[in-house]
């Protein structure tokens, strides 16, 4: 039985304030309020941003080359599936079709998103991953953000670095203070910081 899929859209990308050269890519479910922040490298961030802005570089980037190669050999990217979250790393598959065969190809999530934007194909994930890694923002009547956090998933590609950073920065705060900081970070759409605070809360709950 096929696992139900949740369609995601790319909400945006911003510079990481906690790790030099890293960026926070934010995905949001199409029919819901949950968002997933994923830390990506500078090259992938640039490639994603260029496509989001509709810019055309003078020479093809690696993801553009992949698109050109696939088109030349009549291979289509049908969809991207973010299918697993393990030790802070998101795993993705490219579902490709050449007209005769359909294959699943393993890919880094940052590369998969960059390619999905170029092929204009849908991005999916599972309810389990949304439950573990999703961040919810609820807007009140007066426009004040009220957030709820979910799960134990981490959204970092460099687990050790971010865990250390999180522990050092937040170790002197109480759980209630951390929850308030999490709400403020989400209200300000600072999802990369929100993911760090969420991880610290989850680490305390699981210890």
């Amino acid at each position: 039985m096929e696992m139900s899929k949740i369609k995601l859209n790319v909400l945006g990308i911003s510079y990481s304030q906690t790790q030099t050269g890293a960026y926070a890519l934010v995905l949001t479910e199409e029919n819901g309020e949950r968002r997933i922040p994923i830390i990506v490298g500078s090259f992938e961030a640039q490639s994603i941003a260029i496509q989001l802005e509709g810019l055309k570089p003078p020479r093809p980037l690696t993801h553009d080359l992949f698109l050109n190669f696939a088109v030349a050999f009549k291979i289509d990217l049908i969809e991207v599936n973010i299918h697993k979250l393990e030790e802070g790393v998101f795993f993705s598959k490219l579902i490709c079709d050449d007209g005769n065969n359909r294959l699943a190809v393993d890919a880094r999530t940052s590369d998969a998103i960059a390619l999905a934007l170029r092929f204009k194909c849908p991005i999916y994930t599972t309810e389990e991953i949304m439950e573990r890694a999703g961040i919810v923002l609820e807007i009140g009547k007066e426009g004040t953000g009220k957030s709820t956090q979910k799960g134990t998933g981490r959204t970092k590609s460099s687990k050790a670095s971010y865990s250390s950073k999180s522990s050092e920065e937040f170790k002197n705060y109480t759980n209630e203070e951390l929850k308030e900081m999490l709400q403020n970070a989400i209200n300000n759409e600072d999802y990369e910081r929100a993911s760090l605070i969420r991880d610290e809360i989850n680490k305390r709950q699981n210890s």
Side-chain angles (χ1 to χ4, degrees):
M1 182 175 177
E2 185 178 356
M3 191 177 300
S4 63
K5 298 186 292 188
I6 296 174
K7 189 174 182 181
L8 300 173
N9 294 318
V10 179
L11 183 63
I13 194 164
S14 62
Y15 188 71
S16 169
Q17 298 182 12
T18 61
Q19 184 177 11
T20 303
Y23 292 78
L25 168 66
V26 182
L27 304 177
T28 180
E29 60 180 331
E30 187 167 86
N31 299 309
E33 300 297 324
R34 292 173 294 183
R35 297 172 181 181
I36 300 178
I38 301 174
I39 305 305
V40 301
S42 59
F43 174 78
E44 292 80 8
Q46 179 191 47
S47 183
I48 292 169
I50 285 175
Q51 194 65 25
L52 288 174
E53 296 296 328
L55 303 176
K56 187 174 179 61
R59 299 296 297 157
L61 301 177
T62 301
H63 299 110
D64 300 316
L65 176 61
F66 188 100
L67 171 64
N68 295 339
F69 182 90
V71 170
F73 286 90
K74 297 181 173 56
I75 300 171
D76 194 16
L77 178 57
I78 303 300
E79 64 184 55
V80 164
N81 287 330
I82 304 173
H83 64 95
K84 184 169 69 171
L85 173 60
E86 186 176 280
E87 295 296 323
V89 178
F90 291 91
F91 292 79
S92 294
K93 289 181 180 178
L94 308 176
I95 308 302
C96 303
D97 194 309
D98 65 357
N100 297 312
N101 300 296
R102 182 165 293 196
L103 299 173
V105 180
D106 184 39
R108 295 188 306 170
T109 297
S110 55
D111 289 325
I113 300 302
L115 290 172
L117 292 173
R118 284 163 171 78
F119 281 87
K120 296 179 172 55
C121 75
I123 304 165
Y124 296 105
T125 191
T126 66
E127 176 61 31
E128 179 189 1
I129 289 177
M130 292 303 299
E131 282 290 327
R132 292 176 60 194
I135 292 175
V136 181
L137 175 62
E138 297 175 356
I139 305 298
K141 291 182 179 180
E142 298 180 359
T144 56
K146 188 176 182 181
S147 66
T148 60
Q149 52 136 86
K150 286 182 174 282
T152 59
R154 298 186 180 185
T155 58
K156 297 168 288 298
S157 58
S158 179
K159 179 185 174 186
S161 172
Y162 278 99
S163 298
S164 175
K165 180 87 177 176
S166 174
S167 298
E168 282 300 314
E169 182 177 356
F170 305 124
K171 66 180 181 180
N172 294 324
Y173 291 99
T174 65
N175 287 345
E176 289 303 314
E177 288 173 331
L178 287 175
K179 290 177 182 178
E180 183 176 352
M181 290 166 64
L182 175 65
Q183 292 177 2
N184 290 335
I186 297 175
N187 295 343
N188 293 327
E189 298 189 354
D190 187 354
Y191 298 107
E192 194 264 343
R193 178 173 175 81
S195 69
L196 290 177
I197 300 172
R198 182 199 59 204
D199 281 356
E200 178 65 22
I201 293 172
N202 289 333
K203 186 176 71 174
R204 294 185 185 187
Q205 290 176 343
N206 294 330
S207 62

